[in-house]
Amino acid sequence: MHRSYRFIASLFLTAAIVAPVSMMASPAPQEAGVQVRVYDSGHKDYHNWNDSEDRAYRGYLTEQHKTYLEYNKQSHKTQTQYWNWRHEHPDHD
């Protein structure tokens, strides 16, 4: 009987050691987020609005000496000008 307690205790000890390691090895869940796509009517294509696009947009505003205003609150004319500029300044990844 004493031997069975030692066996059960070693099983619990093994489980206590292995559980945290197995949880660290499991893949992390993907970020739950919404992908925002913007349609460029002038060039008839879609663009994913992500961090890279936001940096390009802020760079455009700086280059044009304009104050920051969220893209979706800009006038259609300004949005069109941005996409024209953006197609002339693509990302070089």
Side-chain angles (χ1 to χ4, degrees):
M1 193 77 156
H2 180 65
R3 198 174 174 127
S4 64
Y5 286 123
R6 192 181 291 178
F7 177 72
I8 292 172
S10 66
L11 283 178
F12 280 118
L13 181 60
T14 303
I17 293 172
V18 171
V21 173
S22 66
M23 289 176 20
M24 289 186 331
S26 65
Q30 294 182 351
E31 290 184 27
V34 177
Q35 182 179 6
V36 177
R37 293 181 67 194
V38 180
Y39 183 67
D40 174 9
S41 60
H43 295 95
K44 296 181 174 52
D45 60 354
Y46 286 91
H47 298 270
N48 291 327
W49 197 271
N50 52 24
D51 290 340
S52 176
E53 195 65 54
D54 190 61
R55 274 192 306 277
Y57 174 64
R58 289 172 186 269
Y60 164 77
L61 292 175
T62 301
E63 187 178 295
Q64 300 298 316
H65 306 286
K66 295 183 179 186
T67 57
Y68 177 80
L69 183 64
E70 288 182 26
Y71 172 81
N72 59 352
K73 294 181 180 176
Q74 291 282 9
S75 67
H76 181 70
K77 179 182 176 184
T78 303
Q79 290 177 357
T80 302
Q81 290 171 346
Y82 169 68
W83 289 121
N84 289 335
W85 178 88
R86 188 68 173 108
H87 279 271
E88 294 171 5
H89 298 83
D91 289 336
H92 298 289
D93 295 334

